[in-house]
Amino acid sequence: MTEAEPTADATIRPLGPPSPVPPGAVRLYGSQYDMENPARLYGELREEHGPVVPVLLEGDVPAWLVVGYREVHQALNDSVMFARDSRRWNQWPNVPSDWPLMVLVGYQPGSILFSEGAAHQRRAEVMTDAMAEVDQFELRSRCERIADGLIDEFCLADEAELLARFANRMPILALAGMFGLPESEVPSAAEDVIAIIDGGEGSLEAYQRFAATLGGLVQLKRAEPGPDVASRMVHHPAGLSDDELAQDLLIMTIAGQDPTANWIGNTLRLMLVDDRFSLTLAGGRRSVGQAMNEVMWEESPAQNTFRWVTRDTMLGGRQLRAGDALVVCFAGGNSDPLVHPDLGTGAESNHAHFSFGHGDHSCPYPAPELGQVIAQTSVEVLLDRLPDVRLAVPPSELEWRPSFRVRGLTSLPVRFSPTIPVGA
């Protein structure tokens, strides 16, 4: 085991004085930010302002919203010009400590989310190598058992709320097994992760408990390694410290839980409201895989991420100053008509969306494949077990989470014919 490597950028400071508010800046919060159809909003902004839009975040803090596909690709691909370390931001003098988006931009020492260059690559390679050995057939089998067990809990009734009882629980239960968490600790760990993501009362205590759980997991796998992701990370030749390992496992869990849960929920919603999928759920429908890919283009669970400009440059015809913040909009890039596929005319296999990110800080391979196994198995098992499942409310009553970062429903109430538990 080696100590955590010091980063070469330990002295990073804000780059220059705060930039002035660009002319014509659009408020990206409040009533103007249409959570019912953000893709439409991004399209209107792109048409009016071009691929890079001057915006105001909460508290009228200026930034640039990148909504052009080419510009999103450039911002994510060039990690030298558009970097991840938020300490460069020239607006820090104008940002209060309780700023609503602080959880997304506040620098976290030692976190892979803000690491760059060789330090980031070292830790990302550990994740990649550890996940590359996951047996996807075994993962699917485990997910089938988990899904059956969750469905057994409510299948004797004739209704359920599928987010709380199914979609939000599937990913963390699958990840806990994949990471090698002792079975006795899985239920409490799952509750803590969901509480962390909900962000309500008790979320801080949940975070502290789960961080301690992962610290204990690292110690366990040092002493008793097994055929799991945590063991492979602990004993990787890169020799990450215990603190690095615990932090990276936490990031992997959170990054795997929320987007995958919303991928499941958004896919189920599409298949229940769209006639192309819902006319005959028992057979003859378009495939679950097609629905999942369409969701990634149209209702991407991941909506926005941040980057910071390292020196004066141009992007999308806009003059950017060193230290400016970019809100890189996955959903905006996906909806750009220059590349957006016609999903109704045989383009369902086009996977060139940004929903898994791109560049150095994208989801490390093979995380997207593993997430798809979890999500697709979840949806397929539920539709097989509850073939006549249908919405319990009109589609117009489904509400989206009021979130800047993610695209997901607040609830998904359904009805179905009661069925016998399988005893998974």
Side-chain angles (χ1 to χ4, degrees):
M1 179 179 64
T2 62
E3 294 296 322
E5 292 184 356
T7 58
D9 53 9
T11 59
I12 287 178
R13 295 290 184 270
L15 298 179
S19 294
V21 176
V26 178
R27 282 188 171 86
L28 204 63
Y29 64 94
S31 60
Q32 301 93 331
Y33 191 53
D34 180 11
M35 294 309 302
E36 287 303 311
N37 195 341
R40 180 174 60 193
L41 170 64
Y42 300 141
E44 294 171 352
L45 293 176
R46 188 188 309 107
E47 184 175 344
E48 182 177 354
H49 298 273
V52 179
V53 184
V55 295
L56 297 173
L57 306 177
E58 294 275 357
D60 284 353
V61 177
W64 298 97
L65 178 70
V66 187
V67 292
Y69 187 93
R70 293 171 181 167
E71 290 73 19
V72 168
H73 184 278
Q74 182 177 348
L76 295 176
N77 197 53
D78 190 346
S79 59
V80 174
M81 180 66 73
F82 307 105
R84 191 65 184 88
D85 193 323
S86 63
R87 291 176 293 177
R88 295 182 172 86
W89 197 10
N90 55 31
Q91 291 295 328
W92 280 122
N94 298 328
V95 177
S97 59
D98 60 350
W99 194 52
L101 300 181
M102 186 62 76
V103 67
L104 303 180
V105 303
Y107 179 75
Q108 302 169 31
S111 172
I112 191 175
L113 293 177
F114 297 91
S115 63
E116 300 173 4
H120 177 81
Q121 183 177 2
R122 167 176 169 262
R123 291 168 70 175
E125 285 179 351
V126 173
M127 292 181 178
T128 296
D129 293 345
M131 288 188 290
E133 295 188 39
V134 173
D135 185 328
Q136 295 188 22
F137 294 101
E138 195 279 330
L139 176 61
R140 178 178 176 85
S141 179
R142 183 189 307 133
C143 288
E144 289 174 348
R145 296 193 298 271
I146 295 170
D148 276 329
L150 293 178
I151 295 168
D152 279 356
E153 295 177 5
F154 58 79
C155 66
L156 286 173
D158 62 356
E159 62 181 4
E161 198 287 282
L162 288 184
L163 292 191
R165 305 204 64 176
F166 186 73
N168 289 347
R169 297 172 66 188
M170 274 298 308
I172 180 56
L173 294 175
L175 290 170
M178 192 168 71
F179 289 174
L181 195 68
E183 189 171 337
S184 61
E185 298 184 27
V186 170
S188 59
E191 291 179 4
D192 284 341
V193 170
I194 292 172
I196 293 167
I197 291 171
D198 287 345
E201 184 177 353
S203 60
L204 178 58
E205 292 80 4
Y207 180 92
Q208 293 168 339
R209 285 194 303 269
F210 187 61
T213 297
L214 292 179
L217 179 63
V218 169
Q219 294 299 319
L220 173 65
K221 297 305 177 181
R222 285 207 184 279
E224 303 175 19
D228 52 70
V229 168
S231 295
R232 291 191 286 270
M233 291 177 65
V234 166
H235 295 278
H236 192 278
L240 300 188
S241 70
D242 287 0
D243 183 60
E244 287 175 316
L245 289 163
Q247 285 196 46
D248 291 354
L249 284 167
L250 190 149
I251 292 298
M252 293 168 70
T253 304
I254 301 300
Q257 163 65 23
D258 205 27
T260 308
N262 287 314
W263 199 3
I264 296 169
N266 293 358
T267 299
L268 286 170
R269 169 195 167 276
L270 175 62
M271 299 193 76
L272 293 173
V273 304
D274 193 310
D275 287 346
R276 294 172 300 153
F277 302 97
S278 65
L279 281 177
T280 55
L281 280 180
R285 63 178 182 266
R286 297 182 107 176
S287 73
V288 171
Q290 289 172 320
M292 291 176 62
N293 190 48
E294 183 163 331
V295 162
M296 290 310 232
W297 280 102
E298 304 290 346
E299 306 288 359
S300 172
Q303 292 281 296
N304 298 292
T305 188
F306 280 85
R307 295 292 186 271
W308 284 268
V309 182
T310 59
R311 60 181 183 270
D312 293 358
T313 189
M314 297 286 293
L315 181 67
R318 298 284 188 174
Q319 177 67 53
L320 310 183
R321 293 178 55 182
D324 281 356
L326 298 184
V327 180
V328 185
C329 184
F330 302 143
N334 290 347
S335 64
D336 190 332
L338 288 176
V339 297
H340 188 277
D342 184 350
L343 297 170
T345 58
E348 296 91 346
S349 61
N350 186 334
H351 299 281
H353 53 71
F354 287 118
S355 297
F356 295 117
H358 184 70
D360 292 347
H361 279 267
S362 63
C363 293
Y365 175 83
E369 292 184 0
L370 302 179
Q372 180 165 353
V373 170
I374 296 170
Q376 186 160 344
T377 305
S378 302
V379 175
E380 289 176 347
V381 171
L382 186 128
L383 295 180
D384 287 342
R385 291 284 306 276
L386 308 175
D388 67 344
V389 64
R390 58 201 179 276
L391 286 179
V393 299
S396 60
E397 293 186 13
L398 297 177
E399 296 183 357
W400 296 99
R401 290 166 56 181
S403 173
F404 174 82
R405 182 176 60 89
V406 301
R407 180 74 166 163
L409 296 167
T410 59
S411 66
L412 186 60
V414 297
R415 295 186 183 278
F416 48 85
S417 298
T419 186
I420 302 298
V422 299

